[in-house]
Amino acid sequence: MRGPKNTATIAQKKLNPDTMKKTKVDKSTTKKEKAASKNSGAPKRPPSAFFVFMEEFRKDYKENFPDNKSVSVVAKEGGVKWKSMSDTEKAPYVAIAATKKAEYGIAMKQHNDDLNEKEKSASTSKSSSETNDDVEQEATS
């Protein structure tokens, strides 16, 4: 049947406000867990070619239009200009972005190596009595 749905079936599908509150709580806890799992000491991700271009464009735009305080206007103008540029005009920004990406790769490798060293030193820093206690607990289990 292709007619309108019966209002009784629609009313049955409505969620209870208590269950909706529970789902919101669940979402907030996952955000907290996600934030806790992030490593704050990690290097910042490199900007793309567009954002390298926008750094320069913002400076030029502020010089030409010092009275403009709207961020959205600057972003829209930058996007329009970026789209109108040819690949040869974009090439210097792409090259800068590529070098920053390579530097980021090196920094991330160094950061991950440092993390691995800290984890290894933390696991080997147990005293011999702690290690023996762990072995005894596993044997009794």
Side-chain angles (χ1 to χ4, degrees):
M1 298 180 70
R2 291 192 172 175
K5 291 187 176 182
N6 188 355
T7 57
T9 57
I10 293 174
Q12 290 173 353
K13 292 182 181 180
K14 288 185 179 177
L15 293 176
N16 187 355
D18 295 333
T19 58
M20 291 179 69
K21 288 180 183 176
K22 289 178 186 176
T23 56
K24 288 181 181 177
V25 170
D26 292 340
K27 288 180 183 178
S28 66
T29 56
T30 57
K31 286 181 182 178
K32 288 179 184 177
E33 291 171 2
K34 199 177 212 182
S37 68
K38 277 191 174 182
N39 190 355
S40 61
K44 200 173 177 182
R45 289 182 65 188
S48 66
F50 174 71
F51 285 103
V52 173
F53 161 75
M54 282 302 291
E55 288 175 17
E56 184 179 309
F57 182 79
R58 281 188 204 99
K59 291 175 189 173
D60 294 340
Y61 197 84
K62 276 188 176 182
E63 289 174 4
N64 294 335
F65 302 100
D67 297 333
N68 184 19
K69 303 290 182 190
S70 176
V71 176
S72 61
V73 171
V74 177
K76 286 178 186 176
E77 291 293 325
V80 168
K81 183 165 183 186
W82 179 258
K83 286 181 182 178
S84 67
M85 292 171 68
S86 67
D87 288 340
T88 55
E89 292 173 322
K90 293 179 183 179
Y93 304 109
V94 172
I96 292 170
T99 57
K100 288 187 178 188
K101 186 175 181 178
E103 291 170 0
Y104 171 76
I106 294 167
M108 274 304 290
K109 186 176 185 308
Q110 180 66 36
H111 176 71
N112 289 336
D113 291 344
D114 291 345
L115 280 180
N116 290 337
E117 287 178 16
K118 286 181 184 178
E119 288 175 2
K120 285 180 183 177
S121 65
S123 65
T124 58
S125 66
K126 283 187 175 180
S127 67
S128 60
S129 62
E130 288 176 333
T131 308
N132 290 337
D133 291 341
D134 291 342
V135 171
E136 290 174 6
Q137 287 177 355
E138 288 178 8
T140 58
S141 298

